[in-house]
Amino acid sequence: MITFSRRVIAVCVLAAALTACGASAGPAARPPAPAPSPAVPSAPPTLAAGPAGLTPVFEHGPRAAGKVVALTFDADMTADQGPRAAAGEHFDHPRLIGTLRALKVPATVFMTGRWAEEYPDQARAIGRDPLFEVANHSYSHYAFTADCYGLPTVPKERMRADVERAYQAFRAVGVPDPMPYFRFPGGCYDRRALQALTPAGVTAVQWDVVGGDAFATDADAVARQVLDGVRPGSVVVLHCTRSAAPTTEKAVRSIVPELRRQGYRFVKVSELIGAANGRG
């Protein structure tokens, strides 16, 4: 009888313990929700290949997409100008970049690979500043056609390599994510050049407003030429080289407030290309 009572008590104690465990555990824990996937940045907008698969050429944005304008600056330095830089010639223009920052003007800088190598700190700073985007202006700043302002000429079989060498130079100095946009040195190109660059996957970017600042000495004349030429969607070509375009910074200080007074908004080339693709 005592043994039976002890068994009953033991069963009751075990049951109570199990009940207590169940009560303390509560409902089964749900598995943690998966962490949200990190946002994948979209690829920069480009144009579809032209006829026969040729490199596409972009000159300006949609005229009906509002009063927007892209200021672009060519950071020119040819492959053989190293001795001139060593002798003290300035192919950079930090004051111009500082003025664009002070005025909060987005811009696209078409940079040669040789310029990036000569001024790595400036190239890196421009490339990492969200106000700007860096695009390709070739490595050597040699012409891609004959008879182009006296520039030496790149053979057709080396054109793609010259463009890719510029991208290599950008990466070497720490420019993150240079844009898949290319500007021909001197703006000179032909069908052979467009065909040679097709495998590079770039959009060639020209312009519809010539600033006329190269070797200019009258900043007011440069400003007037830009202001007279700008239309909605315009791409303006200027230069980021002290020795070859010494008046550009002063001209920009006139151009920017006047265009803003007229209701224009400054954008990068990528925004204009996106608008042309219906993405902007």
Side-chain angles (χ1 to χ4, degrees):
M1 185 68 179
I2 294 174
T3 300
F4 176 75
S5 298
R6 287 176 177 171
R7 288 177 179 173
V8 171
I9 293 171
V11 170
C12 291
V13 171
L14 179 60
L18 292 172
T19 302
C21 289
S24 62
R30 294 180 178 177
S37 300
V40 178
S42 59
T46 56
L47 296 184
L54 296 179
T55 297
V57 179
F58 179 78
E59 294 182 351
H60 60 77
R63 298 302 190 190
K67 298 183 80 170
V68 294
V69 57
L71 297 185
T72 70
F73 297 88
D74 291 355
D76 296 343
M77 186 174 180
T78 62
D80 58 359
Q81 288 177 331
R84 289 167 55 179
E89 184 170 348
H90 295 286
F91 297 92
D92 63 339
H93 206 329
R95 185 172 179 179
L96 169 61
I97 297 300
T99 294
L100 293 171
R101 287 186 173 122
L103 295 174
K104 297 180 173 56
V105 179
T108 303
V109 179
F110 286 87
M111 191 179 294
T112 69
R114 185 63 188 87
W115 193 98
E117 291 175 345
E118 188 69 28
Y119 305 105
D121 293 340
Q122 293 185 55
R124 181 167 53 252
I126 292 169
R128 294 181 178 181
D129 189 332
L131 196 62
F132 306 122
E133 61 188 10
V134 170
N136 196 314
H137 196 30
S138 81
Y139 174 82
S140 62
H141 200 257
Y142 288 176
F144 283 56
T145 66
D147 300 322
C148 183
Y149 302 102
L151 292 171
T153 305
V154 180
K156 181 182 179 182
E157 64 272 14
R158 289 176 49 196
M159 290 178 180
R160 177 185 177 185
D162 189 85
V163 172
E164 292 175 345
R165 186 179 179 188
Y167 282 122
Q168 292 169 3
F170 299 155
R171 289 192 292 269
V173 301
V175 174
D177 305 319
M179 306 301 282
Y181 308 144
F182 175 73
R183 173 164 286 166
F184 287 99
C188 305
Y189 70 93
D190 56 18
R191 182 183 179 87
R192 290 174 66 255
L194 295 177
Q195 185 180 53
L197 295 189
T198 296
V202 295
T203 293
V205 176
Q206 296 288 97
W207 55 81
D208 66 316
V209 179
V210 177
D213 61 332
F215 306 106
T217 57
D218 186 344
D220 292 337
V222 173
R224 285 196 301 272
Q225 183 159 322
V226 171
L227 294 172
D228 289 345
V230 165
R231 298 170 59 193
S234 280
V235 175
V236 181
V237 59
L238 293 163
H239 293 81
C240 186
T241 312
R242 268 185 285 177
S243 62
T247 66
T248 305
E249 186 269 340
K250 183 178 179 182
V252 164
R253 285 190 275 117
S254 298
I255 292 166
V256 169
E258 175 57 24
L259 286 178
R260 282 177 170 159
R261 188 192 68 78
Q262 295 178 22
Y264 278 91
R265 178 172 63 89
F266 294 96
V267 298
K268 304 171 192 175
V269 165
S270 56
E271 184 169 331
L272 290 185
I273 293 178
N277 282 340
R279 290 172 54 179

